Amino acid sequence: MIEKNFNLVTDSWLKVIDQQTGREQKVSLIELFKNAQNYRQLAGEMRAQDLAVMRLLLAILTTVYSRFDADGQPYEWLENGTEKFLSDATIIKFYPKSRIKQTVVKTWQKLYQKGQFTDIVIKYLEHYSDKFAFFGEHPFYQVTKAEYDELVPANKVVAKGTGTVAVKQINRRISESNNTPALFAPKAGESKNQIAVDELVRWLITYQNFTGVTDKTKIKADDKFSVSPGWLYKLNPVFAQGKTLFETLMLNLVLFGQEEPAPQRPVWEYSSAKEYIAERKKNLLPNNIAELYTSWSRILHIEWNEDGVPTIFSAGLPKIVSDNAMIEPMTVWKYDKKTAAYRPAVRGLQSLGKAMWRNFGNYVNANKAHNNSEPGVVVWLRLLKGQTAIPRDKLLTLASVDLIDDGNATSQSPVAEVVDDMSINADVLFDEDSENCWPAQIEAMIKETQIVGTYFWQFARDVGEIRGFKDNSLKEFANRLSSKFYYGLNQPFKDWLAGLTNQDEHGEKLLLWEKQLRKHAFIEAQKVMDTSSSRDQKGIFTDKGLRNIFTINDYFRYRVNTMFKKE
């Protein structure tokens, strides 16, 4: 029988990699925040899980350091705070935002220079430890049986035994429903539903962030609503990645965002689950990062049998509207001209092979165009660099971890995980000296690269036509060769990008990439030439005359050379 005594504050459940030994460890929240500088990174079952857990950690840090400075003293702009850790404090009306910005940047800088988090975080966790208990009156990220029964329709209460979700479905490495087996899962048979408490905690946090829409049970509400698919699931995530877990958390610790300053309120600071659900029923976007990072997509209740096997009851909550949700720091945005609204640029199956660098302009706004808005974490890093909190020569890494759904509106089951990153010097990333600033020049190089990529796709398509491919088969052939073309460019471009500095002569560095791009294009075309058949060499007659592997290769080389003004 399972021991019903597990607390996230003091019990080990977070998987990390030790910086010195490179070995995996399991630690508690207190251990993590005391020793974050000694860990390389989170090391959960998948990177999407690590991202969901990291946002929980950031919610704790954002809450604490938006109330207390690096010395553990409360900020002067907070008032009416009668509770020990100021959960009930408000911000003084008309207090200068510029002073708030300046002060929190100073707090961030002192913490960064100190190289570790301060005791105020540990004291906060100890104060709220009962809200981090996995069992009991306030089960973490769950509701009690009484609360669940009160929040759902009468025919969906726990006693009815309906509206459950299996462990194997919450486990996002399996994501198996009772109707559709996952054939290539890392577990088989009954073991898919067997799980230790620490792993269940990690998956529960992940599931609240990456939820499909197959659930049949919803909470009671006066109006009909669309069930939430999980907030993080519908973003195009981006975050800064440091050399240690401490540095990663610090770089993503946004203490002053693009919205009006507001008191932080993570979900565990609500007096009860019922109070939080009442707030969610208003269909309002949270006005603070901590609440957004800890938002639920489901109310979950767990019943345990004598063998320690959990039965998980689940009911959907209203979807949080993401239009103009600029309070979210960790997403790429797209501008909808019809509604004049910014929305997260959600990735789909069709963009699986597209690397981050090819969408560089979505991460860094080089030309300040109206239809582009930088991710909040990039805006924050820009502020830190401008305030000299970040060294000018620091190499910053922007990373993305995306869980892609199946594109089916009635299920939205995860089918792929995409992980990518790109590193760039802080001075280069935030170079704003002129119209020819580095971000604009980088974007120009990417456009040139895309043009050459288009030329290569057309070359591949011409080869496919000579080989007799038609319609979808022709397109698939060209797309397959095009994917190989870009895959071969990924690492060279990332190396080129990471090597840029503000001391470089722009023209020399740009020419260096153009030469590398041109060479790669001709090598990839030559690979096709080397595998050509007699049919390719014989060719076909068209209204433009004879077309064979030699003529289309010559034309491809001519187009590339003409673009680069080379003979």
PDB file of all heavy atoms in Angstrom, residues 337-369:
ATOM      1  N   LYS A 337      -4.163  40.264 -38.940  1.00  0.00           N
ATOM      2  CA  LYS A 337      -4.605  41.549 -39.482  1.00  0.00           C
ATOM      3  C   LYS A 337      -6.125  41.721 -39.389  1.00  0.00           C
ATOM      4  O   LYS A 337      -6.624  42.831 -39.227  1.00  0.00           O
ATOM      5  CB  LYS A 337      -4.162  41.682 -40.934  1.00  0.00           C
ATOM      6  CG  LYS A 337      -2.649  41.801 -41.110  1.00  0.00           C
ATOM      7  CD  LYS A 337      -2.285  41.971 -42.571  1.00  0.00           C
ATOM      8  CE  LYS A 337      -0.781  42.113 -42.735  1.00  0.00           C
ATOM      9  NZ  LYS A 337      -0.380  42.253 -44.167  1.00  0.00           N
ATOM     10  N   LYS A 338      -6.867  40.620 -39.507  1.00  0.00           N
ATOM     11  CA  LYS A 338      -8.324  40.715 -39.499  1.00  0.00           C
ATOM     12  C   LYS A 338      -8.850  41.179 -38.141  1.00  0.00           C
ATOM     13  O   LYS A 338      -9.786  41.967 -38.061  1.00  0.00           O
ATOM     14  CB  LYS A 338      -8.937  39.362 -39.866  1.00  0.00           C
ATOM     15  CG  LYS A 338      -8.704  38.960 -41.323  1.00  0.00           C
ATOM     16  CD  LYS A 338      -9.416  37.644 -41.634  1.00  0.00           C
ATOM     17  CE  LYS A 338      -9.213  37.260 -43.097  1.00  0.00           C
ATOM     18  NZ  LYS A 338      -9.883  35.968 -43.417  1.00  0.00           N
ATOM     19  N   THR A 339      -8.253  40.651 -37.080  1.00  0.00           N
ATOM     20  CA  THR A 339      -8.741  40.985 -35.740  1.00  0.00           C
ATOM     21  C   THR A 339      -7.842  41.982 -35.022  1.00  0.00           C
ATOM     22  O   THR A 339      -8.157  42.403 -33.906  1.00  0.00           O
ATOM     23  CB  THR A 339      -8.840  39.711 -34.879  1.00  0.00           C
ATOM     24  OG1 THR A 339      -7.537  39.124 -34.762  1.00  0.00           O
ATOM     25  CG2 THR A 339      -9.800  38.709 -35.503  1.00  0.00           C
ATOM     26  N   ALA A 340      -6.723  42.354 -35.667  1.00  0.00           N
ATOM     27  CA  ALA A 340      -5.733  43.266 -35.074  1.00  0.00           C
ATOM     28  C   ALA A 340      -5.279  42.753 -33.708  1.00  0.00           C
ATOM     29  O   ALA A 340      -5.128  43.520 -32.748  1.00  0.00           O
ATOM     30  CB  ALA A 340      -6.312  44.680 -34.958  1.00  0.00           C
ATOM     31  N   ALA A 341      -5.067  41.447 -33.627  1.00  0.00           N
ATOM     32  CA  ALA A 341      -4.662  40.829 -32.363  1.00  0.00           C
ATOM     33  C   ALA A 341      -3.412  39.984 -32.561  1.00  0.00           C
ATOM     34  O   ALA A 341      -3.185  39.421 -33.638  1.00  0.00           O
ATOM     35  CB  ALA A 341      -5.791  39.964 -31.812  1.00  0.00           C
ATOM     36  N   TYR A 342      -2.609  39.912 -31.511  1.00  0.00           N
ATOM     37  CA  TYR A 342      -1.465  39.004 -31.498  1.00  0.00           C
ATOM     38  C   TYR A 342      -1.917  37.671 -30.900  1.00  0.00           C
ATOM     39  O   TYR A 342      -2.622  37.628 -29.897  1.00  0.00           O
ATOM     40  CB  TYR A 342      -0.329  39.577 -30.655  1.00  0.00           C
ATOM     41  CG  TYR A 342       0.436  40.688 -31.329  1.00  0.00           C
ATOM     42  CD1 TYR A 342       0.187  42.019 -31.012  1.00  0.00           C
ATOM     43  CD2 TYR A 342       1.405  40.404 -32.289  1.00  0.00           C
ATOM     44  CE1 TYR A 342       0.886  43.047 -31.625  1.00  0.00           C
ATOM     45  CE2 TYR A 342       2.114  41.424 -32.907  1.00  0.00           C
ATOM     46  CZ  TYR A 342       1.853  42.741 -32.568  1.00  0.00           C
ATOM     47  OH  TYR A 342       2.541  43.748 -33.186  1.00  0.00           O
ATOM     48  N   ARG A 343      -1.479  36.589 -31.543  1.00  0.00           N
ATOM     49  CA  ARG A 343      -1.765  35.252 -31.040  1.00  0.00           C
ATOM     50  C   ARG A 343      -0.482  34.429 -31.038  1.00  0.00           C
ATOM     51  O   ARG A 343       0.404  34.667 -31.866  1.00  0.00           O
ATOM     52  CB  ARG A 343      -2.803  34.547 -31.925  1.00  0.00           C
ATOM     53  CG  ARG A 343      -4.181  35.190 -31.911  1.00  0.00           C
ATOM     54  CD  ARG A 343      -5.229  34.237 -32.478  1.00  0.00           C
ATOM     55  NE  ARG A 343      -6.552  34.821 -32.422  1.00  0.00           N
ATOM     56  CZ  ARG A 343      -7.148  35.434 -33.439  1.00  0.00           C
ATOM     57  NH1 ARG A 343      -6.507  35.533 -34.592  1.00  0.00           N
ATOM     58  NH2 ARG A 343      -8.352  35.945 -33.317  1.00  0.00           N
ATOM     59  N   PRO A 344      -0.365  33.451 -30.135  1.00  0.00           N
ATOM     60  CA  PRO A 344       0.811  32.578 -30.171  1.00  0.00           C
ATOM     61  C   PRO A 344       0.915  31.884 -31.525  1.00  0.00           C
ATOM     62  O   PRO A 344      -0.090  31.405 -32.065  1.00  0.00           O
ATOM     63  CB  PRO A 344       0.528  31.569 -29.045  1.00  0.00           C
ATOM     64  CG  PRO A 344      -0.382  32.293 -28.112  1.00  0.00           C
ATOM     65  CD  PRO A 344      -1.249  33.159 -28.990  1.00  0.00           C
ATOM     66  N   ALA A 345       2.113  31.848 -32.071  1.00  0.00           N
ATOM     67  CA  ALA A 345       2.348  31.231 -33.386  1.00  0.00           C
ATOM     68  C   ALA A 345       2.525  29.728 -33.203  1.00  0.00           C
ATOM     69  O   ALA A 345       3.643  29.203 -33.236  1.00  0.00           O
ATOM     70  CB  ALA A 345       3.571  31.851 -34.050  1.00  0.00           C
ATOM     71  N   VAL A 346       1.423  29.031 -33.004  1.00  0.00           N
ATOM     72  CA  VAL A 346       1.459  27.600 -32.700  1.00  0.00           C
ATOM     73  C   VAL A 346       2.023  26.814 -33.880  1.00  0.00           C
ATOM     74  O   VAL A 346       1.666  27.053 -35.034  1.00  0.00           O
ATOM     75  CB  VAL A 346       0.041  27.089 -32.361  1.00  0.00           C
ATOM     76  CG1 VAL A 346       0.078  25.614 -32.006  1.00  0.00           C
ATOM     77  CG2 VAL A 346      -0.556  27.902 -31.223  1.00  0.00           C
ATOM     78  N   ARG A 347       2.919  25.886 -33.586  1.00  0.00           N
ATOM     79  CA  ARG A 347       3.511  25.048 -34.625  1.00  0.00           C
ATOM     80  C   ARG A 347       2.620  23.843 -34.899  1.00  0.00           C
ATOM     81  O   ARG A 347       1.938  23.336 -34.007  1.00  0.00           O
ATOM     82  CB  ARG A 347       4.901  24.551 -34.211  1.00  0.00           C
ATOM     83  CG  ARG A 347       5.919  25.653 -34.083  1.00  0.00           C
ATOM     84  CD  ARG A 347       7.286  25.102 -33.743  1.00  0.00           C
ATOM     85  NE  ARG A 347       7.812  24.262 -34.803  1.00  0.00           N
ATOM     86  CZ  ARG A 347       9.071  23.840 -34.851  1.00  0.00           C
ATOM     87  NH1 ARG A 347       9.919  24.173 -33.889  1.00  0.00           N
ATOM     88  NH2 ARG A 347       9.493  23.086 -35.832  1.00  0.00           N
ATOM     89  N   GLY A 348       2.656  23.382 -36.154  1.00  0.00           N
ATOM     90  CA  GLY A 348       1.905  22.196 -36.540  1.00  0.00           C
ATOM     91  C   GLY A 348       2.819  21.140 -37.130  1.00  0.00           C
ATOM     92  O   GLY A 348       4.032  21.320 -37.233  1.00  0.00           O
ATOM     93  N   LEU A 349       2.231  20.031 -37.549  1.00  0.00           N
ATOM     94  CA  LEU A 349       3.010  18.931 -38.105  1.00  0.00           C
ATOM     95  C   LEU A 349       3.794  19.332 -39.346  1.00  0.00           C
ATOM     96  O   LEU A 349       4.870  18.812 -39.615  1.00  0.00           O
ATOM     97  CB  LEU A 349       2.072  17.757 -38.445  1.00  0.00           C
ATOM     98  CG  LEU A 349       1.506  16.982 -37.253  1.00  0.00           C
ATOM     99  CD1 LEU A 349       0.431  16.011 -37.712  1.00  0.00           C
ATOM    100  CD2 LEU A 349       2.608  16.237 -36.524  1.00  0.00           C
ATOM    101  N   GLN A 350       3.254  20.295 -40.107  1.00  0.00           N
ATOM    102  CA  GLN A 350       3.904  20.701 -41.343  1.00  0.00           C
ATOM    103  C   GLN A 350       5.209  21.447 -41.118  1.00  0.00           C
ATOM    104  O   GLN A 350       6.019  21.594 -42.041  1.00  0.00           O
ATOM    105  CB  GLN A 350       2.955  21.571 -42.194  1.00  0.00           C
ATOM    106  CG  GLN A 350       2.711  22.972 -41.667  1.00  0.00           C
ATOM    107  CD  GLN A 350       1.732  23.019 -40.504  1.00  0.00           C
ATOM    108  OE1 GLN A 350       1.168  21.998 -40.121  1.00  0.00           O
ATOM    109  NE2 GLN A 350       1.504  24.203 -39.963  1.00  0.00           N
ATOM    110  N   SER A 351       5.446  21.907 -39.897  1.00  0.00           N
ATOM    111  CA  SER A 351       6.658  22.688 -39.623  1.00  0.00           C
ATOM    112  C   SER A 351       7.657  21.937 -38.749  1.00  0.00           C
ATOM    113  O   SER A 351       8.556  22.538 -38.168  1.00  0.00           O
ATOM    114  CB  SER A 351       6.281  24.013 -38.948  1.00  0.00           C
ATOM    115  OG  SER A 351       5.652  23.786 -37.698  1.00  0.00           O
ATOM    116  N   LEU A 352       7.523  20.617 -38.678  1.00  0.00           N
ATOM    117  CA  LEU A 352       8.376  19.827 -37.798  1.00  0.00           C
ATOM    118  C   LEU A 352       9.860  19.995 -38.110  1.00  0.00           C
ATOM    119  O   LEU A 352      10.687  20.048 -37.225  1.00  0.00           O
ATOM    120  CB  LEU A 352       8.009  18.337 -37.901  1.00  0.00           C
ATOM    121  CG  LEU A 352       6.787  17.871 -37.114  1.00  0.00           C
ATOM    122  CD1 LEU A 352       6.587  16.377 -37.293  1.00  0.00           C
ATOM    123  CD2 LEU A 352       6.932  18.192 -35.644  1.00  0.00           C
ATOM    124  N   GLY A 353      10.205  20.069 -39.383  1.00  0.00           N
ATOM    125  CA  GLY A 353      11.612  20.105 -39.765  1.00  0.00           C
ATOM    126  C   GLY A 353      12.208  21.493 -39.873  1.00  0.00           C
ATOM    127  O   GLY A 353      13.355  21.643 -40.302  1.00  0.00           O
ATOM    128  N   LYS A 354      11.449  22.518 -39.501  1.00  0.00           N
ATOM    129  CA  LYS A 354      11.924  23.883 -39.667  1.00  0.00           C
ATOM    130  C   LYS A 354      12.640  24.359 -38.407  1.00  0.00           C
ATOM    131  O   LYS A 354      12.045  24.490 -37.351  1.00  0.00           O
ATOM    132  CB  LYS A 354      10.757  24.821 -39.990  1.00  0.00           C
ATOM    133  CG  LYS A 354      11.206  26.163 -40.544  1.00  0.00           C
ATOM    134  CD  LYS A 354      10.041  26.927 -41.134  1.00  0.00           C
ATOM    135  CE  LYS A 354      10.515  28.210 -41.812  1.00  0.00           C
ATOM    136  NZ  LYS A 354       9.400  28.968 -42.419  1.00  0.00           N
ATOM    137  N   ALA A 355      13.933  24.625 -38.533  1.00  0.00           N
ATOM    138  CA  ALA A 355      14.753  25.007 -37.383  1.00  0.00           C
ATOM    139  C   ALA A 355      14.437  26.426 -36.927  1.00  0.00           C
ATOM    140  O   ALA A 355      13.942  27.260 -37.700  1.00  0.00           O
ATOM    141  CB  ALA A 355      16.232  24.889 -37.743  1.00  0.00           C
ATOM    142  N   MET A 356      14.774  26.730 -35.672  1.00  0.00           N
ATOM    143  CA  MET A 356      14.525  28.048 -35.084  1.00  0.00           C
ATOM    144  C   MET A 356      15.152  29.175 -35.894  1.00  0.00           C
ATOM    145  O   MET A 356      14.529  30.218 -36.105  1.00  0.00           O
ATOM    146  CB  MET A 356      15.095  28.101 -33.664  1.00  0.00           C
ATOM    147  CG  MET A 356      14.253  27.467 -32.593  1.00  0.00           C
ATOM    148  SD  MET A 356      15.022  27.644 -30.960  1.00  0.00           S
ATOM    149  CE  MET A 356      14.767  29.402 -30.643  1.00  0.00           C
ATOM    150  N   TRP A 357      16.401  28.986 -36.329  1.00  0.00           N
ATOM    151  CA  TRP A 357      17.113  30.083 -36.975  1.00  0.00           C
ATOM    152  C   TRP A 357      16.422  30.565 -38.239  1.00  0.00           C
ATOM    153  O   TRP A 357      16.556  31.724 -38.624  1.00  0.00           O
ATOM    154  CB  TRP A 357      18.563  29.688 -37.271  1.00  0.00           C
ATOM    155  CG  TRP A 357      18.755  28.549 -38.241  1.00  0.00           C
ATOM    156  CD1 TRP A 357      18.911  27.233 -37.945  1.00  0.00           C
ATOM    157  CD2 TRP A 357      18.827  28.648 -39.677  1.00  0.00           C
ATOM    158  NE1 TRP A 357      19.076  26.488 -39.089  1.00  0.00           N
ATOM    159  CE2 TRP A 357      19.036  27.338 -40.163  1.00  0.00           C
ATOM    160  CE3 TRP A 357      18.743  29.699 -40.587  1.00  0.00           C
ATOM    161  CZ2 TRP A 357      19.147  27.048 -41.526  1.00  0.00           C
ATOM    162  CZ3 TRP A 357      18.857  29.421 -41.951  1.00  0.00           C
ATOM    163  CH2 TRP A 357      19.065  28.114 -42.402  1.00  0.00           C
ATOM    164  N   ARG A 358      15.665  29.694 -38.878  1.00  0.00           N
ATOM    165  CA  ARG A 358      14.968  30.094 -40.107  1.00  0.00           C
ATOM    166  C   ARG A 358      13.836  31.073 -39.825  1.00  0.00           C
ATOM    167  O   ARG A 358      13.351  31.749 -40.738  1.00  0.00           O
ATOM    168  CB  ARG A 358      14.452  28.848 -40.831  1.00  0.00           C
ATOM    169  CG  ARG A 358      15.575  28.006 -41.433  1.00  0.00           C
ATOM    170  CD  ARG A 358      15.064  26.690 -41.971  1.00  0.00           C
ATOM    171  NE  ARG A 358      14.108  26.875 -43.047  1.00  0.00           N
ATOM    172  CZ  ARG A 358      13.430  25.875 -43.609  1.00  0.00           C
ATOM    173  NH1 ARG A 358      13.587  24.621 -43.166  1.00  0.00           N
ATOM    174  NH2 ARG A 358      12.579  26.098 -44.596  1.00  0.00           N
ATOM    175  N   ASN A 359      13.401  31.139 -38.561  1.00  0.00           N
ATOM    176  CA  ASN A 359      12.380  32.113 -38.140  1.00  0.00           C
ATOM    177  C   ASN A 359      12.979  33.134 -37.185  1.00  0.00           C
ATOM    178  O   ASN A 359      12.319  33.599 -36.260  1.00  0.00           O
ATOM    179  CB  ASN A 359      11.211  31.397 -37.461  1.00  0.00           C
ATOM    180  CG  ASN A 359      10.338  30.654 -38.440  1.00  0.00           C
ATOM    181  OD1 ASN A 359      10.084  31.123 -39.542  1.00  0.00           O
ATOM    182  ND2 ASN A 359       9.901  29.473 -38.059  1.00  0.00           N
ATOM    183  N   PHE A 360      14.233  33.486 -37.416  1.00  0.00           N
ATOM    184  CA  PHE A 360      14.961  34.384 -36.525  1.00  0.00           C
ATOM    185  C   PHE A 360      14.173  35.665 -36.234  1.00  0.00           C
ATOM    186  O   PHE A 360      14.133  36.142 -35.100  1.00  0.00           O
ATOM    187  CB  PHE A 360      16.310  34.732 -37.158  1.00  0.00           C
ATOM    188  CG  PHE A 360      17.165  35.642 -36.329  1.00  0.00           C
ATOM    189  CD1 PHE A 360      17.958  35.127 -35.315  1.00  0.00           C
ATOM    190  CD2 PHE A 360      17.188  37.021 -36.553  1.00  0.00           C
ATOM    191  CE1 PHE A 360      18.757  35.966 -34.537  1.00  0.00           C
ATOM    192  CE2 PHE A 360      17.979  37.861 -35.786  1.00  0.00           C
ATOM    193  CZ  PHE A 360      18.765  37.329 -34.781  1.00  0.00           C
ATOM    194  N   GLY A 361      13.527  36.226 -37.237  1.00  0.00           N
ATOM    195  CA  GLY A 361      12.784  37.476 -37.080  1.00  0.00           C
ATOM    196  C   GLY A 361      11.602  37.371 -36.135  1.00  0.00           C
ATOM    197  O   GLY A 361      11.119  38.388 -35.634  1.00  0.00           O
ATOM    198  N   ASN A 362      11.135  36.148 -35.866  1.00  0.00           N
ATOM    199  CA  ASN A 362      10.045  35.973 -34.902  1.00  0.00           C
ATOM    200  C   ASN A 362      10.535  36.083 -33.459  1.00  0.00           C
ATOM    201  O   ASN A 362       9.764  36.384 -32.556  1.00  0.00           O
ATOM    202  CB  ASN A 362       9.381  34.604 -35.088  1.00  0.00           C
ATOM    203  CG  ASN A 362       8.596  34.509 -36.378  1.00  0.00           C
ATOM    204  OD1 ASN A 362       8.267  35.521 -36.983  1.00  0.00           O
ATOM    205  ND2 ASN A 362       8.316  33.303 -36.809  1.00  0.00           N
ATOM    206  N   TYR A 363      11.819  35.820 -33.274  1.00  0.00           N
ATOM    207  CA  TYR A 363      12.399  35.854 -31.933  1.00  0.00           C
ATOM    208  C   TYR A 363      13.023  37.207 -31.608  1.00  0.00           C
ATOM    209  O   TYR A 363      13.031  37.643 -30.469  1.00  0.00           O
ATOM    210  CB  TYR A 363      13.454  34.754 -31.790  1.00  0.00           C
ATOM    211  CG  TYR A 363      12.887  33.374 -31.985  1.00  0.00           C
ATOM    212  CD1 TYR A 363      12.977  32.726 -33.215  1.00  0.00           C
ATOM    213  CD2 TYR A 363      12.246  32.724 -30.945  1.00  0.00           C
ATOM    214  CE1 TYR A 363      12.438  31.455 -33.400  1.00  0.00           C
ATOM    215  CE2 TYR A 363      11.701  31.453 -31.117  1.00  0.00           C
ATOM    216  CZ  TYR A 363      11.809  30.830 -32.351  1.00  0.00           C
ATOM    217  OH  TYR A 363      11.267  29.579 -32.535  1.00  0.00           O
ATOM    218  N   VAL A 364      13.565  37.861 -32.624  1.00  0.00           N
ATOM    219  CA  VAL A 364      14.202  39.166 -32.449  1.00  0.00           C
ATOM    220  C   VAL A 364      13.655  40.104 -33.510  1.00  0.00           C
ATOM    221  O   VAL A 364      13.814  39.857 -34.708  1.00  0.00           O
ATOM    222  CB  VAL A 364      15.740  39.066 -32.586  1.00  0.00           C
ATOM    223  CG1 VAL A 364      16.374  40.415 -32.292  1.00  0.00           C
ATOM    224  CG2 VAL A 364      16.294  38.007 -31.660  1.00  0.00           C
ATOM    225  N   ASN A 365      13.007  41.174 -33.079  1.00  0.00           N
ATOM    226  CA  ASN A 365      12.377  42.108 -33.995  1.00  0.00           C
ATOM    227  C   ASN A 365      13.413  43.100 -34.504  1.00  0.00           C
ATOM    228  O   ASN A 365      13.705  44.097 -33.847  1.00  0.00           O
ATOM    229  CB  ASN A 365      11.228  42.831 -33.294  1.00  0.00           C
ATOM    230  CG  ASN A 365      10.310  43.538 -34.271  1.00  0.00           C
ATOM    231  OD1 ASN A 365      10.619  43.661 -35.454  1.00  0.00           O
ATOM    232  ND2 ASN A 365       9.180  43.992 -33.775  1.00  0.00           N
ATOM    233  N   ALA A 366      13.966  42.811 -35.691  1.00  0.00           N
ATOM    234  CA  ALA A 366      15.049  43.642 -36.227  1.00  0.00           C
ATOM    235  C   ALA A 366      14.558  44.968 -36.786  1.00  0.00           C
ATOM    236  O   ALA A 366      15.229  45.996 -36.685  1.00  0.00           O
ATOM    237  CB  ALA A 366      15.797  42.874 -37.314  1.00  0.00           C
ATOM    238  N   ASN A 367      13.352  44.969 -37.371  1.00  0.00           N
ATOM    239  CA  ASN A 367      12.892  46.182 -38.059  1.00  0.00           C
ATOM    240  C   ASN A 367      11.698  46.851 -37.387  1.00  0.00           C
ATOM    241  O   ASN A 367      11.127  47.789 -37.924  1.00  0.00           O
ATOM    242  CB  ASN A 367      12.543  45.849 -39.509  1.00  0.00           C
ATOM    243  CG  ASN A 367      11.548  44.703 -39.612  1.00  0.00           C
ATOM    244  OD1 ASN A 367      10.867  44.381 -38.639  1.00  0.00           O
ATOM    245  ND2 ASN A 367      11.477  44.076 -40.767  1.00  0.00           N
ATOM    246  N   LYS A 368      11.309  46.333 -36.200  1.00  0.00           N
ATOM    247  CA  LYS A 368      10.194  46.923 -35.433  1.00  0.00           C
ATOM    248  C   LYS A 368       8.904  46.993 -36.237  1.00  0.00           C
ATOM    249  O   LYS A 368       8.108  47.914 -36.118  1.00  0.00           O
ATOM    250  CB  LYS A 368      10.557  48.339 -34.939  1.00  0.00           C
ATOM    251  CG  LYS A 368      11.894  48.425 -34.224  1.00  0.00           C
ATOM    252  CD  LYS A 368      11.939  47.557 -33.001  1.00  0.00           C
ATOM    253  CE  LYS A 368      13.279  47.651 -32.293  1.00  0.00           C
ATOM    254  NZ  LYS A 368      13.422  46.684 -31.205  1.00  0.00           N
ATOM    255  N   ALA A 369       8.695  46.000 -37.101  1.00  0.00           N
ATOM    256  CA  ALA A 369       7.490  45.988 -37.931  1.00  0.00           C
ATOM    257  C   ALA A 369       6.243  45.820 -37.067  1.00  0.00           C
ATOM    258  O   ALA A 369       6.281  45.191 -36.012  1.00  0.00           O
ATOM    259  CB  ALA A 369       7.565  44.846 -38.948  1.00  0.00           C
TER     260      ALA A 369
END
